[in-house]
Every structure is written in C-alpha cells, then in structure tokens.
Amino acid sequence: MADADLDVVIRQLARQLQTGLMTRAKERRDRFSGLAAKAKSQETGARFKMMAKATMEQATAAARRLQMSADNVADSYARAMRLAASTPVEVKSEKPAKDKPAKDKPAKKVKKAKAAKAKKAK
C-alpha cells in the first residue's frame, strides 16, 4: 500500500467504513424486528417496526453521504496531484552574494550634520 495513490486509499477506507456502518445498522434493525415480534401489543410492535425501518433509512443516507464525501476528497486529491505534476518548476540559480562597499564616510557626515543641527537648536 506504500506505492498506492492516496485517492485509492481514501476510497478503500470509505468502503470499509460504509460496510461497517451498514453491518451495525442491520444488527440494530434485526434487534428492533425481534422486539417487534415479541411485543405484546400491536401498537408496540408497530413502533418497533417503524424504528427498524427508520434505522435502515438513516444508515443508508449516512452511508451515501460518507461515500459521496470520500469520492469528492479522493477526486480533489487526484486532481491536485495531476495539476502539481503538470506544472513546470522554475529552478532558481544561486547567485553569489555581492560584497557591499563600506559607507563609513557618508554615515559620519550625516552624524556630524545631525550634531550640528542639534547644537544650533539649543
């Protein structure tokens, strides 16, 4: 799996999650169906049957949303990788750093000028 593209891995993980989700939903549905069969009144039995049906509907919708989200993420990742692979890379050559000449003389002139202005201001 080290060589696999991540979009394939994303889809596989989503499939595993979806399978687990549906397995648990079927277990719960079967539990509610069993409770409906054991119910003493028709009203209670109908309520458990309704809960079993609602459980499957909700689980199916959740599994569909999970799969759709995983597909969107996998497609987005694959598209980004294709774009990155097709974009040319600019190679910047390293230029040697230029030695800057020392500017001690102009700096001294500026300091002297500031000192003179400060004396005049006093």
Side-chain angles (χ1 to χ4, degrees):
M1 206 186 249
D3 297 313
D5 289 330
L6 286 180
D7 60 328
V8 175
V9 173
I10 291 168
R11 291 177 204 277
Q12 287 175 349
L13 290 174
R15 217 172 296 124
Q16 289 173 356
L17 288 173
Q18 183 180 7
T19 303
L21 174 69
M22 292 309 294
T23 301
R24 298 292 182 259
K26 288 176 184 176
E27 289 173 0
R28 180 158 295 185
R29 178 198 61 191
D30 293 343
R31 180 175 172 268
F32 285 137
S33 295
L35 289 173
K38 292 179 184 178
K40 294 184 179 182
S41 68
Q42 285 186 343
E43 182 182 311
T44 306
R47 187 170 31 136
F48 281 127
K49 284 181 184 178
M50 186 177 62
M51 288 171 65
K53 183 179 177 184
T55 298
M56 283 308 292
E57 287 175 359
Q58 294 296 323
T60 303
R64 192 178 322 119
R65 285 192 303 268
L66 175 69
Q67 188 64 41
M68 193 180 313
S69 295
D71 286 341
N72 287 342
V73 169
D75 291 342
S76 178
Y77 174 79
R79 186 173 39 253
M81 289 299 106
R82 279 193 307 271
L83 182 65
S86 67
T87 304
V89 178
E90 293 181 21
V91 179
K92 294 182 180 179
S93 60
E94 293 184 23
K95 296 180 181 178
K98 295 181 181 179
D99 293 330
K100 293 183 180 180
K103 296 183 179 181
D104 291 334
K105 293 180 182 178
K108 287 182 181 178
K109 288 181 183 178
V110 171
K111 286 182 183 178
K112 287 181 182 178
K114 285 182 182 179
K117 285 183 183 178
K119 285 182 182 178
K120 289 181 184 178
K122 287 183 181 180

